[in-house]
Amino acid sequence: MPTVKDVAKRAGVSVATVSRVLNNSNKVSEETRQKVLKAIEELGFKPNLLARNFRRDKSNLILVILPTIANAYFARVVKGIEDTARKYGYGILLCTTGNSPEIASDYLKLIERKQVDGAIIASAKISKDALLEIDPKKIVQACEFYPFLDTSCVLIDHKKAFFEIVDYLIKKGKKNILCAIGNEGIPSEEERKEGYRQALEKNGMEFKEENIIRCRYGSTEIYEKLKTLICSKKYDAVACSSDLMAVGAIKAAKAVGLKIPDEFAVTGFDNIMISRLYEPSITTVAQPMYEIGEKATEILISSLENNSFSKERVILPHDIKTRESA
Amino acid sequence: MPTVKDVAKRAGVSVATVSRVLNNSNKVSEETRQKVLKAIEELGFKPNLLARNFRRDKSNLILVILPTIANAYFARVVKGIEDTARKYGYGILLCTTGNSPEIASDYLKLIERKQVDGAIIASAKISKDALLEIDPKKIVQACEFYPFLDTSCVLIDHKKAFFEIVDYLIKKGKKNILCAIGNEGIPSEEERKEGYRQALEKNGMEFKEENIIRCRYGSTEIYEKLKTLICSKKYDAVACSSDLMAVGAIKAAKAVGLKIPDEFAVTGFDNIMISRLYEPSITTVAQPMYEIGEKATEILISSLENNSFSKERVILPHDIKTRESA
DNA sequence: CTGTTAGCGCCTTCAG
DNA sequence: CTGAAGGCGCTAACAG
């Protein structure tokens, strides 16, 4: 593999000049530039990014940490991140943790070790002390906000969104609304639960802890629990914290023989493809997934490059998608 | 940031010894090792991977190129790649091309430039000349095999799989089977079409080009085309080249009022989650997605590290999943 | 506008 | 078992 030195020799210039041409410095005469380009061409020279990055103390890589990409929600967020990173000349190093904080910690070490310039944490579980030594301006949180992590963040207003969709159910005449929420310890899930509570209270209904169903976000495991509950015919709706939960809920309602949405209404959250394709199609909260990824990346790169850290808390708008299930 | 030099000074040893400790060389006395570890601890030293990678001429990064991760099929393949890469100490640099060969080419340049050690191309469209200068042992193809790309590969037998599922439809008594296939120029799609043809011929049925429906792999756009076709009631089944196509096909059959599977049967391909969740659930070909990613990664890393290139052509087993739609 | 030169941090012979 | 020293390829002062 030829190096700048070889190119320099061939072009009859110094390595500094070759480097200038490589980096589009304008302090090179057109004539010299051409000579250098010719030598590069002839030798088939390719810059060694390992050397360049080392010298510049910069990897141009962004670490992306999230629980999974099997869920279409995160897949879409990643697309927003990737496109934006590419636009600014960065690549993305992908880490799906399956919610293991240990895996997340291991990857986060890459920041201090300079394998990556910074990280976007999209809703992945992180242990607090994994972050002790990391410069907060090198991290942006997306989708989710862990307050103990003092970084910029980009997400929607989960409480408000859930409030709105429950309020929608109530306006549709539903009187006994269940709430299916992800497992505990995740801030956005607690926010959504609070939105549910506030919607009930605003409409003069009583909030009961027993009406909260806890189940995994990215699965349909709600099915069994719900089927048992709704046999009683006491309930006429469930507001779910994800579209996959909603699918499970619809299956349960069908299994019990309830007509959707009249006898039993179901709402989802996220607006991933399945909510549109499923039958019945699912009324849900559309999150601006791509835009969350995009904005988070822009904030991170700007923070990385300007070296000016202003903690940003960005709330992006959501949107209720009314469909057949409610 | 402290460097090996600082650690050496603090521990009262040479940088070589520090380096030995860092790399678990056994040629260090336990006593010295402890001194060094103590100094590392006290200084909060973190090895600079930019420097190490440069020095070792190795990035420990694998490039993963695929059309999209919005499709659960690829998301699962990526998981297999990521887990395996991690196991061997590699990270993955993700590139989703949306089937743009230009984007793929840009990223592939990272191999010669040493930003990555090698690449897995999972079914992404590549232009042949993007690869001219790349060492074939640094690339493994997954899911798909472009023969002009003379590399190792890991995939299923697409022809056989499609043959089997069409044969299954015939055994179920279907007489006029349509075939929905992805757009042209993709080897696996042509293989599948050939499997369709052979299944018909084996059963004494006539293959007609007009019974081939071309449509995008990752979408339900088949819906419109199919709805028009099946109004005639001439057809009693469609074998689709993806589960999402199958969803579109089922919607079309429902729209026309055909009973599934008796009046109209539908099969998918891939066995992604939606094929299990949809109603009716979809009979499909299960691809070993995770294992494809896993195996491809193992081959790549072994080829990278042993520097011994044996072109491997790995065909993994598939499996017909019988469900409600056929 | 161009060249000389000094490292960046680490690993790895080679000597001892 | 340990230390000294060279150098990976590139960039960026600095000098001219």
Side-chain angles (χ1 to χ4, degrees):
Chain A
M1 269 280 109
T3 72
V4 279
K5 219 167 163 181
D6 301 316
V7 175
K9 198 178 296 171
R10 176 124 191 166
V13 300
S14 73
V15 290
T17 300
V18 175
S19 179
R20 286 186 190 105
V21 172
L22 251 24
N23 295 291
N24 297 312
S25 159
N26 49 7
K27 296 168 193 164
V28 181
S29 75
E30 192 48 31
E31 194 192 335
T32 313
R33 159 172 267 104
Q34 290 308 329
K35 271 197 302 190
V36 172
L37 290 176
K38 186 155 162 281
I40 288 174
E41 177 69 24
E42 289 168 353
L43 293 171
F45 167 83
K46 321 276 181 205
N48 181 332
L49 297 182
L50 246 25
R52 172 181 291 174
N53 291 342
F54 166 51
R55 182 56 235 255
R56 290 194 179 151
D57 199 29
K58 188 140 186 5
S59 65
N60 273 53
L61 242 36
I62 292 172
L63 174 62
V64 178
I65 303 186
L66 24 69
T68 176
I69 51 168
N71 190 302
Y73 171 74
F74 290 114
R76 188 68 189 152
V77 173
V78 170
K79 184 63 176 162
I81 295 173
E82 191 200 338
D83 286 351
T84 311
R86 176 182 304 147
K87 187 171 133 194
Y88 290 101
Y90 286 75
I92 68 172
L93 179 53
L94 186 72
C95 167
T96 62
T97 65
N99 270 326
S100 149
E102 290 75 30
I103 294 182
S105 298
D106 281 350
Y107 275 76
L108 279 170
K109 289 184 186 139
L110 296 179
I111 298 180
E112 312 164 79
R113 298 174 182 208
K114 314 225 177 186
Q115 174 91 283
V116 300
D117 293 336
I120 293 174
I121 300 178
S123 173
K125 255 187 204 145
I126 305 284
S127 74
K128 190 171 173 177
D129 44 335
L131 296 151
L132 285 181
E133 311 186 35
I134 301 180
D135 186 344
K137 73 159 157 290
K138 296 189 174 177
I139 295 181
V140 172
Q141 294 188 76
C143 310
E144 185 77 57
F145 181 60
Y146 287 97
F148 69 77
L149 227 173
D150 191 30
T151 67
S152 292
C153 64
V154 182
L155 67 170
I156 66 162
D157 185 336
H158 293 283
K159 191 199 296 180
K160 181 151 168 272
F162 216 83
F163 175 93
E164 286 173 15
I165 204 155
V166 173
D167 196 53
Y168 167 84
L169 284 170
I170 296 170
K171 290 211 164 56
K172 282 278 179 175
K174 300 301 176 184
K175 304 289 184 205
N176 287 290
I177 303 170
L178 291 161
C179 175
I181 284 289
N183 291 323
E184 316 207 13
I186 299 170
S188 66
E189 299 289 357
E190 304 310 319
E191 289 279 309
R192 292 178 192 183
K193 179 180 162 189
E194 183 57 26
Y196 164 73
R197 174 208 296 273
Q198 291 184 5
L200 293 188
E201 286 175 356
K202 177 205 151 200
N203 288 281
M205 294 171 162
E206 191 190 350
F207 169 87
K208 293 179 200 150
E209 195 66 40
E210 72 203 58
N211 288 349
I212 302 290
I213 306 168
R214 292 278 180 180
C215 50
R216 265 192 15 251
Y217 164 79
S219 87
T220 56
E221 70 180 26
I222 185 181
Y223 176 80
E224 292 298 342
K225 289 185 189 176
L226 193 64
K227 210 167 69 175
T228 315
L229 270 173
I230 60 182
C231 276
S232 67
K233 315 264 171 181
K234 259 176 59 186
Y235 303 101
D236 52 15
V238 60
C240 298
S241 198
S242 79
D243 290 334
L244 286 176
M245 284 187 198
V247 167
I250 289 172
K251 280 183 180 290
K254 282 184 182 173
V256 173
L258 294 173
K259 270 189 68 180
I260 298 170
D262 296 340
E263 294 174 345
F264 195 78
V266 177
T267 63
F269 208 102
D270 290 347
N271 192 35
I272 59 176
M273 195 188 342
I274 201 171
S275 69
R276 190 167 42 79
L277 293 182
Y278 208 71
E279 303 202 351
S281 61
I282 299 170
T283 293
T284 193
V285 175
Q287 287 206 55
M289 305 170 267
Y290 187 91
E291 290 75 13
I292 288 174
E294 191 175 30
K295 186 69 186 167
T297 310
E298 276 168 359
I299 291 175
L300 179 61
I301 291 178
S302 138
S303 159
L304 251 25
E305 302 201 336
N306 302 332
N307 217 22
S308 69
F309 183 39
S310 64
K311 229 176 306 167
E312 292 193 53
R313 298 277 149 88
V314 179
I315 304 297
L316 259 27
H318 58 265
D319 184 29
I320 308 282
K321 296 282 180 195
T322 311
R323 300 207 180 99
E324 296 163 356
S325 72
Chain B
M1 271 278 106
T3 71
V4 280
K5 217 168 163 180
D6 302 315
V7 175
K9 199 177 296 170
R10 176 125 192 166
V13 300
S14 73
V15 291
T17 300
V18 176
S19 179
R20 287 187 188 104
V21 172
L22 251 24
N23 296 292
N24 297 312
S25 159
N26 47 9
K27 297 168 191 163
V28 180
S29 74
E30 192 48 32
E31 192 192 338
T32 313
R33 159 174 268 106
Q34 289 307 329
K35 273 197 302 190
V36 173
L37 289 176
K38 184 154 165 281
I40 288 175
E41 177 69 24
E42 288 169 354
L43 292 171
F45 166 82
K46 321 277 180 203
N48 181 331
L49 296 183
L50 245 25
R52 171 181 292 175
N53 291 343
F54 167 51
R55 181 55 234 257
R56 291 191 178 157
D57 199 29
K58 187 135 182 14
S59 64
N60 274 53
L61 242 36
I62 292 173
L63 174 63
V64 179
I65 304 185
L66 26 69
T68 175
I69 51 167
N71 190 301
Y73 171 74
F74 290 114
R76 188 69 189 150
V77 173
V78 170
K79 184 64 176 161
I81 295 173
E82 191 200 339
D83 286 350
T84 311
R86 175 182 304 147
K87 186 171 134 195
Y88 291 101
Y90 285 75
I92 68 172
L93 178 54
L94 185 73
C95 168
T96 62
T97 65
N99 269 325
S100 148
E102 291 74 32
I103 294 181
S105 298
D106 281 350
Y107 276 76
L108 279 170
K109 288 185 186 138
L110 296 179
I111 297 180
E112 312 164 78
R113 298 176 180 205
K114 314 221 175 187
Q115 173 89 286
V116 300
D117 293 336
I120 293 173
I121 300 177
S123 172
K125 256 188 203 145
I126 305 284
S127 73
K128 191 173 171 174
D129 43 336
L131 297 151
L132 284 181
E133 309 187 36
I134 301 180
D135 186 346
K137 75 159 155 291
K138 297 189 174 176
I139 295 182
V140 172
Q141 294 189 74
C143 310
E144 185 76 59
F145 181 60
Y146 287 97
F148 69 77
L149 229 173
D150 191 30
T151 67
S152 292
C153 64
V154 181
L155 67 170
I156 64 162
D157 185 335
H158 293 284
K159 192 200 294 180
K160 182 151 166 273
F162 216 83
F163 174 93
E164 286 172 13
I165 203 156
V166 173
D167 195 52
Y168 168 84
L169 284 170
I170 296 170
K171 290 212 164 56
K172 282 277 179 176
K174 300 301 176 184
K175 305 288 184 204
N176 287 291
I177 303 170
L178 291 161
C179 174
I181 284 289
N183 290 324
E184 315 205 14
I186 300 170
S188 66
E189 299 290 358
E190 304 311 319
E191 289 281 309
R192 293 179 191 183
K193 180 180 162 190
E194 182 57 25
Y196 164 73
R197 176 209 294 272
Q198 291 184 5
L200 293 188
E201 287 176 355
K202 176 205 153 200
N203 288 281
M205 293 172 162
E206 191 190 351
F207 169 87
K208 294 179 198 149
E209 194 66 41
E210 71 203 60
N211 288 351
I212 302 291
I213 306 167
R214 292 280 180 177
C215 50
R216 265 190 17 249
Y217 165 80
S219 87
T220 56
E221 71 180 25
I222 186 183
Y223 177 80
E224 292 298 341
K225 287 184 189 176
L226 193 65
K227 209 167 68 174
T228 315
L229 270 174
I230 60 182
C231 277
S232 66
K233 316 262 169 179
K234 260 176 60 186
Y235 303 101
D236 52 14
V238 61
C240 298
S241 197
S242 79
D243 290 333
L244 286 176
M245 282 186 197
V247 167
I250 289 172
K251 280 183 179 290
K254 283 185 181 172
V256 172
L258 295 174
K259 271 188 68 181
I260 297 170
D262 296 341
E263 295 174 344
F264 195 77
V266 177
T267 62
F269 208 103
D270 291 346
N271 192 35
I272 59 176
M273 194 186 347
I274 201 170
S275 70
R276 190 167 42 81
L277 294 181
Y278 208 70
E279 304 203 349
S281 59
I282 299 170
T283 293
T284 193
V285 175
Q287 287 206 55
M289 304 170 269
Y290 187 91
E291 290 76 12
I292 289 175
E294 191 175 30
K295 186 70 187 164
T297 309
E298 276 167 359
I299 291 177
L300 179 62
I301 291 178
S302 138
S303 158
L304 250 26
E305 302 201 335
N306 301 332
N307 217 21
S308 69
F309 183 40
S310 63
K311 229 176 302 165
E312 292 193 52
R313 299 278 149 86
V314 179
I315 303 298
L316 260 27
H318 57 265
D319 184 28
I320 307 284
K321 296 281 181 196
T322 311
R323 300 205 181 99
E324 296 164 355
S325 72

